[in-house]
Amino acid sequence: MHRSIRSLALPAVALALLTTACSDDDDPTTTTAAEQSTTTAAPGTTMDPSYGATSTTDAASSLVGIMEASDQTGDGTVLIVDSVSLQGGSGHIALHIDVDGTPGAVVGNIAVPEGITEDLEVPFDEPAVTGTYWPMVHIDDGDGEYKFPGPDVPLKVGDDPVMTAVELTVE
């Protein structure tokens, strides 16, 4: 099963340029697994029906961020994020354990440079077990070190962090 949240936090000028470049489909509606209904994008946002994704402006930052991750099998030392694209600054991917269907404690993280990074290996702090993990995009405060709680806040769409649930099967 592939579940992904792709999100953009865009300055107003970049929105028009990046919407075309980052969207696979011009249709502003989608059915998400979480909502199980058709949602129409609000003005100033775009939605990619192939991923159940939304794009919008994050008031806290001019950082543009897109992340995709899918279910996977591995040895429990890393979780692979399929792709991350950041424009306007750098960030971090923090891995959270699943607690009753929501992100819990951080169990790994990695800095992400500005630009496009594919097949990003996010290391776990300790070997992971089979289960659900939540990679989440955080905005870097400029020093390259992950600090949360602290200045490296999650990148959000409205009130929702840019994240996705990933099923990891450890072999």
Side-chain angles (χ1 to χ4, degrees), residues 96-127:
H96 296 260
I97 60 170
D98 182 80
V99 177
D100 299 325
T102 61
V106 174
V107 294
N109 71 80
I110 193 167
V112 181
E114 185 171 10
I116 299 170
T117 305
E118 293 183 343
D119 299 322
L120 179 64
E121 295 185 359
V122 185
F124 285 98
D125 295 336
E126 296 184 16

Side-chain angles (χ1 to χ4, degrees), residues 99-160:
V99 177
D100 299 325
T102 61
V106 174
V107 294
N109 71 80
I110 193 167
V112 181
E114 185 171 10
I116 299 170
T117 305
E118 293 183 343
D119 299 322
L120 179 64
E121 295 185 359
V122 185
F124 285 98
D125 295 336
E126 296 184 16
V129 297
T130 295
T132 302
Y133 296 89
W134 295 82
M136 181 185 299
V137 178
H138 284 248
I139 301 167
D140 184 59
D141 70 348
D143 68 2
E145 294 181 28
Y146 177 70
K147 295 178 298 302
F148 188 81
D152 297 334
V153 297
L155 182 62
K156 293 185 176 184
V157 174
D159 292 332
D160 300 321

